[in-house]
């Protein structure tokens, strides 16, 4: 038999429960700033969150100053002006380039860190967009080949005329570095949003997973939500940077095989894995590959998961996300394919 309690008594108990919950929930420290061409938000709990966040902002700015392809005086700019001479790299750039080159090789060149001349020709570095003709593109593609990048110890040699762009992996590295810095400063949970890159340290302060939304590729709103702990979640989407000309949409993710925006059938690829650099590099590479090649790649490299949204509105998710990802709103009825090993 149910016990009968008076309404005021129940309300009082509820209020007590709510205040007790509220008192337990620690306040986050949050800061927002612009870097690497995007808005970044850092949210931290525990330790001296405010000082850790300040160090985090400083660290991202330091990385931007090294890795920016456009800023004169950056290390990458210096590399790109070296005219075939070797350049001594900082430890950050060396580590990131080493990882990025490994991803270029693993993805069979779908990721290529020497795509910069092509990206620039389309106007994505300045916003002065144009559609280069095929003669121009094939001349530029003559300078695209990650296998010609020579990294010996910390000495980098690029053939003259070739240019390096770590834009496809730099935010992933920044996310990874922030996690390391925060953990070292005694921060117990944190989540950072660096444009389309999200990376989390631990779980939420109450022990529950972070909920990360995946943007709908057709403009506003969300396609789905993911529950994660201690992971990087990185999305590459055609909608993130694009322009229209003569009814055609051109986006910033390029197929190194053609020198044109990748038309693989994918409009958005989200990668979920432990490491930010891998998540970032693979989101770009799997966008270039499209669904079939991405699925084949995943079957050979089991250490990550992905969500791929196709231009036909289909959603493909790898097995590891089966219970942690759900579609939202108008996407809830979309065809969802789970890829299994
Ligand atoms: P993301 O937003 O991480 O997918 O990276 C896209 C950025 O990387 C672009 O803005 C270009 O600067 C560069 N990029 C475009 N296509 C490629 C590619 N296939 N391989 C490497 N970098 C690329
Ligand atoms: Mg990327």
């Amino acid at each position: 038999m149910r016990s009968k309690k008076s309404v005021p008594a129940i309300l009082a108990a509820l209020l007590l429960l709510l205040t007790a919950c509220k008192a337990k929930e620690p306040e986050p420290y949050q800061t927002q700033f612009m870097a690497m061409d995007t808005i970044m938000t850092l949210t931290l709990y525990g330790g001296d969150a405010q000082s850790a966040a300040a160090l985090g902002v400083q660290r991202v700015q330091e990385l931007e100053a090294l890795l920016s392809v456009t800023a004169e005086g950056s290390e990458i700019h210096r590399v790109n002006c070296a005219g075939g001479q070797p350049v001594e790299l900082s430890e950050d750039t060396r580590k990131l380039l080493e990882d990025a080159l490994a991803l270029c090789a693993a993805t069979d060149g779908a990721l290529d860190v020497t795509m910069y001349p092509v990206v620039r020709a389309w106007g994505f570095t300045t916003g002065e967009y144009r559609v280069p003709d095929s003669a121009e593109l094939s001349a530029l593609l003559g300078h695209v080949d990650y296998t010609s990048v020579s990294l010996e110890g910390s000495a980098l040699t690029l053939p003259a005329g070739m240019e390096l762009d770590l834009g496809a992996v730099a935010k992933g590295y920044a996310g990874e570095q922030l996690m390391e810095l925060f953990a070292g400063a005694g921060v117990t949970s944190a989540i950072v949003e660096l444009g389309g890159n999200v990376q989390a340290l631990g779980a939420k302060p109450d022990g529950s997973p972070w909920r990360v939304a995946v943007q709908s590729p057709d403009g506003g709103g969300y396609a789905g939500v993911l529950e994660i702990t201690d992971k990087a979640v990185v999305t590459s989407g055609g909608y993130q940077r694009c322009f229209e000309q003569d009814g055609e949409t051109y986006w910033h993710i390029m197929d190194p095989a053609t020198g044109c925006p990748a038309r693989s059938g994918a409009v958005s690829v989200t990668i979920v894995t432990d490491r930010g650099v891998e998540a970032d590099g693979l989101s770009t590479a799997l966008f270039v590959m499209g669904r079939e090649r991405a699925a084949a790649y995943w079957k050979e490299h089991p250490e990550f998961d992905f969500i791929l949204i196709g231009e036909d509105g289909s959603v493909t998710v790898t097995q590891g996300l089966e219970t942690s990802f759900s579609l939202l709103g108008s996407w809830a009825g979309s065809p969802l394919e789970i890829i299994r090993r």
Side-chain angles (χ1 to χ4, degrees), residues 111 167-170 172 197 234-236 277 279-285:
L111 182 76
V169 287
N197 288 42
V234 177
T235 300
S236 285
V277 171
D280 205 354
L282 289 180
S283 70
T284 312

Side-chain angles (χ1 to χ4, degrees), residues 115-131:
M115 277 300 279
Y116 188 59
V118 174
V119 173
R120 182 174 45 210
W122 285 86
F124 284 106
T125 54
T126 56
E128 287 163 27
Y129 299 121
R130 56 189 279 275
V131 179

Side-chain angles (χ1 to χ4, degrees), residues 110-112 115 119 165 167-168 236 241 252-254 256 280 284 288:
L111 182 76
D112 191 317
M115 277 300 279
V119 173
D165 172 15
S236 285
R241 210 153 1 124
H252 68 300
I253 302 167
M254 301 283 157
D280 205 354
T284 312
V288 172

Side-chain angles (χ1 to χ4, degrees), residues 175-247:
E176 222 172 275
Q177 290 296 304
L178 286 172
M179 297 303 108
E180 219 175 283
L181 191 156
F182 294 165
V187 170
T188 45
S189 37
I191 190 154
V192 300
E193 281 183 69
L194 321 175
N197 288 42
V198 172
Q199 192 157 353
L201 175 69
K204 285 190 347 198
D206 67 1
S208 64
W210 303 97
R211 287 168 59 80
V212 178
V214 175
Q215 272 208 290
S216 168
D218 55 16
Y222 302 116
V225 64
L226 253 175
E227 294 198 338
I228 54 136
T229 300
D230 250 331
K231 295 273 181 219
V233 179
V234 177
T235 300
S236 285
Y239 60 90
Q240 289 167 338
R241 210 153 1 124
C242 56
F243 69 97
E244 251 189 60
Q245 191 171 303
D246 303 326

Side-chain angles (χ1 to χ4, degrees), residues 106-323:
T107 61
D108 204 14
L111 182 76
D112 191 317
V113 289
T114 62
M115 277 300 279
Y116 188 59
V118 174
V119 173
R120 182 174 45 210
W122 285 86
F124 284 106
T125 54
T126 56
E128 287 163 27
Y129 299 121
R130 56 189 279 275
V131 179
D133 64 29
S134 54
E136 181 180 356
L137 286 177
S138 51
L140 291 172
L141 282 174
H143 299 291
V144 173
D145 177 13
Y146 73 90
T147 64
S148 314
V149 176
S150 150
L151 183 63
E152 285 180 22
S154 55
L156 167 69
T157 315
L158 274 187
M162 203 169 259
E163 290 174 276
L164 197 65
D165 172 15
L166 296 176
V169 287
K171 287 189 295 223
Y173 185 68
E176 222 172 275
Q177 290 296 304
L178 286 172
M179 297 303 108
E180 219 175 283
L181 191 156
F182 294 165
V187 170
T188 45
S189 37
I191 190 154
V192 300
E193 281 183 69
L194 321 175
N197 288 42
V198 172
Q199 192 157 353
L201 175 69
K204 285 190 347 198
D206 67 1
S208 64
W210 303 97
R211 287 168 59 80
V212 178
V214 175
Q215 272 208 290
S216 168
D218 55 16
Y222 302 116
V225 64
L226 253 175
E227 294 198 338
I228 54 136
T229 300
D230 250 331
K231 295 273 181 219
V233 179
V234 177
T235 300
S236 285
Y239 60 90
Q240 289 167 338
R241 210 153 1 124
C242 56
F243 69 97
E244 251 189 60
Q245 191 171 303
D246 303 326
E248 189 76 39
T249 303
Y250 300 97
W251 47 58
H252 68 300
I253 302 167
M254 301 283 157
D255 186 343
T258 62
C260 294
R263 296 267 173 234
S264 64
V267 286
S268 155
V269 175
T270 301
I271 306 288
V272 184
T273 190
D274 295 340
R275 290 206 49 205
V277 171
E278 189 181 293
D280 205 354
L282 289 180
S283 70
T284 312
L286 269 59
F287 189 103
V288 172
M289 291 181 188
R291 187 167 56 184
E292 306 315 319
R293 276 177 72 197
Y297 183 87
W298 174 78
K299 286 180 183 174
E300 280 180 20
H301 302 82
E303 62 285 343
F304 75 99
D305 278 291
F306 74 79
I307 302 160
L308 184 148
I309 303 181
E311 54 194 351
D312 56 1
S314 63
V315 183
T316 307
V317 173
T318 51
Q319 190 179 350
L321 303 178
E322 193 168 3
T323 54

